Amino acid sequence: MSNQNLNLSLKKFNTFGIDVSAKNIIYLTELKQLDHISNLKDCFIIGGGSNILLTKSINKPVIINQTKGICTVNEDENYIELAVASGENWHEFVMYCIQKGYGGIENMSLIPGSVGAAPMQNIGAYGREIKDVLTYVSAVNIETKEIKKFTNPECEFGYRESIFKKSLKGKYFVSDIGVRLTKKNHQLNTSYGDIEKWLNDNLIKVPTIQDVSNAVIAIRKSKLPDPSDLGNSGSFFKNPVIPLSQFNGLLEKFPTIKSYPVNDKEVKVPAGWLIESLGWKGKRVGNTGAHKKQALVLVNYGNATGSEVKKLAEDIKRSVWDTYQIQLETEVNII
Ligand code: EPU
């Protein structure tokens, strides 16, 4: 019996490495297993577990999505469309594409998590988002078990946003997604300073998709902690978008504040900069803290509870609000 209890720990199924238990665990390796789960809507589904902070035990059956498979839907001499099962690991899928010579997702190398979770929050890095290549999301309605295919516009993608995080939150289980990738004439995006610098430093003048992926992997490894060494969920907060007028006011008081253009009325401010400016970077509070190389990433030094991390996040939010009157929003789902 005690062994069974040990096996109910969700520690290895969330990249934060928070040790809470589940009522029971169902390993989903094939979609048709869903037919036998009568209370699907009462289950809690975990994909890669890379975007959740568990603050309490899950008093429900937990489904661990381990469905696998990559197949070709369409292909011509220029493009290939692949259907990918939601339980595939995102980074392994990116590596598969690079090895085959398919371009479009190389900038999203090394993002932790599963393929099914990728459209949920429209994952992105270094100027590319999944919405740029996604053709459809197939998902099972957890009430009726009917499968619905969402087109790209139907997913209502935004910055780290989709319909699956808003009006359809908790209503669908993503079963597979379609992505359309280039087979030749790849449209590389090397505009991010860090990527350009890495390519220059490595004397690469005409980069391939493999080079861009290598650059991204090197940059991410240099700043972002590997969840297998130090539990984390990547960026804990979104980069806030604020009115240009507010930004100009802040710029007078804080001349080194950074921003990226959004439109003529708004700018995006790097949350990492705001958090670092208030002294949180590298600061350890009990078993948790803001990472020493990237203040936007909160980490678990080993035995942190979800509530400890949540408390740190609240303290950081409050301090950013008190100084800048900017409301940080969490990117991670707090359960
Ligand atoms: N910055 C600081 N201090 C820090 C961290 C960042 O001052 O501790 C400043 C940097 O100097 C830089 C700016 O903030 O000028 C941006 O930093 P960085 O390039 O590291 O990117 P980010 O805006 O912090 C976003 C994504 C990352 C993604 C990178 C690269 C969000 C919330 N995060 O981070 O995504 O990898 O850009 O494209 O949009 C994730 O979502 O989990 C994630 C890691």
Side-chain angles (χ1 to χ4, degrees), residues 51 111-112 121 123-127 159-160 192 194 220 223-224 233-239 258 260 268 270-277 281 291-297 331:
N51 208 37
I111 295 185
Q121 60 149 347
I123 60 166
Y126 304 101
Y159 166 58
R160 297 294 190 276
Y192 266 60
D194 285 347
R220 289 187 74 101
K223 303 195 194 175
L224 298 171
S233 274
S235 302
F236 197 90
F237 302 100
K238 291 191 208 176
N239 285 330
K258 295 192 177 181
Y260 307 110
K268 196 185 265 184
W273 186 93
L274 298 171
I275 298 168
E276 178 175 350
S277 73
K281 191 174 184 172
H291 189 52
K292 61 178 188 299
K293 293 186 192 154
Q294 172 41 299
L296 194 49
V297 177
E331 190 196 278

